[in-house]
Amino acid sequence: MQIDVSELEAHRSSLTGHCYRMLGSSADADDAVQETIVRAWRSLDRFEGRASVKTWLHRIATNVCLDTISSTAKRRARPIEEEGPSLVEHAQLTTRDRTHWLEPIPDARAIPADADPHEQAVLRQSIRLAFVAALQHLPPRQRAALLLTEVLGWSAAEVAEALEMTVAAVNSSLQRARATIAARNVTPSPDALSDEENELLERYVAAFQSYDLDQLVSLMHEDVTFSMPPYTLWLQGPQSVRDWLSIGPGSVCRGSRLVPVAASGAPSFAHYHPGKEEGTYDAWAIIVLELDGQRITGWNSFLDVETLFPMFGLPLKMS
């Protein structure tokens, strides 16, 4: 069966989304997809066409991800999953390596543009931070089995063949995986933002850019969480966030600008700080917000600008 590189490349975004869900890192997902394409190209002569090219590629990608997980023996985490929340007055700006933390991903890299609206909605849900974080708590083969069935729509028999398991073992793995995800209280969010949520975001941008902290914290849920990987600290509650932004290290955010982006299936912004030269702004973070409809429940600022901003096609400086 004749297949060229362009046919393999046509599935890159779907493969990237799958590898991201498996690995919790957009950069690692890119590496895994590149390895998948290389392995596929080298084994084209053994492709018999019994399955579609897409299914064949996702089998290879799954095994690449399982190899990656086996070699690192780590799971990506969020600061809110580790130690308890910090008090602003005692906050320590301790960092962990970027390979420790869950990362966001641009929607466009993980969701095929030609997917139908229903499929796009499912895929957008599957790259939300809370869901991907919960996946990292699953053993690797459970994680793969759940994603292949729940996201890609494979049958238990197809998963069993791909993972070299029995159908009974796959079904048992799925039962345990679903129980783990349910225990972590991961609930789907509406795919489209409501008018109320769009208004909330407009008020958030206006309040942050004018640095109206009273207005800003009024938009937050009483249990809002605020984190800034690679820092280990995280804050909880509107008052803690206000203190951080007013009298804590976060006060350097005054005068910032926000640029809307599409990340992790959630309302997101590229955050630019005022630059040293007047009228310029420097890349600072990718902000991914979590909403409950009426309030902001999570404010996640990812500070790895050297990796993330180029991935979103964003400049490191703007005016």
Side-chain angles (χ1 to χ4, degrees):
M1 184 173 181
Q2 293 296 317
I3 300 175
D4 59 26
V5 174
S6 64
E7 188 168 354
L8 302 181
E9 285 290 338
H11 299 284
R12 181 174 286 273
S13 57
S14 180
L15 292 168
T16 300
H18 180 59
C19 293
Y20 172 69
R21 291 183 284 271
M22 283 290 295
L23 302 174
S25 161
S26 44
D28 288 356
D30 280 350
D31 292 342
V33 171
Q34 197 58 39
E35 175 63 18
T36 297
I37 299 295
V38 170
R39 289 190 191 184
W41 182 250
R42 288 174 177 169
S43 59
L44 276 179
D45 59 333
R46 298 195 297 277
F47 178 63
E48 300 175 351
R50 291 186 297 123
S52 68
V53 173
K54 180 179 179 180
T55 297
W56 177 60
L57 286 171
H58 280 78
R59 285 184 62 171
I60 297 173
T62 299
N63 285 308
V64 169
C65 291
L66 291 174
D67 290 345
T68 300
I69 295 168
S70 176
S71 66
T72 59
K74 290 185 192 176
R75 70 171 180 86
R76 296 275 181 158
R78 304 175 72 185
I80 62 174
E81 296 179 273
E82 301 200 329
E83 297 182 1
S86 303
L87 298 175
V88 172
E89 58 269 27
H90 299 141
Q92 299 292 318
L93 292 177
T94 305
T95 64
R96 299 286 294 268
D97 190 85
R98 60 163 292 273
T99 59
H100 180 79
W101 301 115
L102 186 76
E103 297 174 337
I105 190 168
D107 287 7
R109 294 174 79 96
I111 302 175
D114 59 355
D116 64 48
H118 173 72
E119 185 182 4
Q120 288 202 3
V122 170
L123 293 176
R124 195 169 290 110
Q125 289 286 344
S126 73
I127 59 172
R128 291 185 186 269
L129 294 177
F131 180 67
V132 178
L135 288 172
Q136 308 309 301
H137 290 270
L138 299 177
R141 286 183 179 274
Q142 277 188 33
R143 193 184 312 172
L146 185 72
L147 291 173
L148 291 171
T149 55
E150 299 290 324
V151 179
L152 296 182
W154 289 22
S155 68
E158 290 173 315
V159 175
E161 183 181 358
L163 299 180
E164 298 182 343
M165 300 167 66
T166 66
V167 171
V170 168
N171 286 328
S172 177
S173 292
L174 288 172
Q175 186 176 23
R176 293 194 298 272
R178 288 166 180 151
T180 299
I181 297 296
R184 301 197 71 82
N185 296 319
V186 180
T187 56
S189 303
D191 183 55
L193 293 176
S194 66
D195 291 342
E196 188 175 38
E197 287 172 325
N198 280 315
E199 181 184 354
L200 174 65
L201 294 175
E202 290 175 3
R203 293 167 64 194
Y204 168 81
V205 171
F208 192 31
Q209 293 190 156
S210 65
Y211 226 61
D212 183 343
L213 299 185
D214 289 335
Q215 173 67 8
L216 191 61
V217 300
S218 74
L219 307 176
M220 298 178 186
H221 190 276
E222 62 181 5
D223 293 324
V224 65
T225 61
F226 178 93
S227 64
M228 300 175 299
Y231 294 120
T232 58
L233 78 94
W234 63 280
L235 308 172
Q236 187 165 39
Q239 188 59 49
S240 291
V241 176
R242 193 189 196 290
D243 289 345
W244 180 264
L245 294 173
S246 58
I247 60 175
S251 59
V252 296
C253 291
R254 188 181 298 275
S256 293
R257 290 292 176 265
L258 299 180
V259 176
V261 296
S264 294
S268 306
F269 301 91
H271 177 186
Y272 286 86
H273 266 197
K276 293 182 180 178
E277 299 178 14
E278 186 175 355
T280 65
Y281 296 87
D282 296 333
W284 183 254
I286 296 294
I287 296 174
V288 180
L289 297 179
E290 295 167 286
L291 313 178
D292 72 351
Q294 299 181 339
R295 291 287 184 271
I296 296 168
T297 57
W299 178 341
N300 309 276
S301 288
F302 296 90
L303 306 185
D304 184 17
V305 298
E306 297 291 339
T307 299
L308 294 176
F309 273 64
M311 192 171 292
F312 281 85
L314 295 167
L316 296 179
K317 282 187 171 290
M318 63 178 289
S319 57

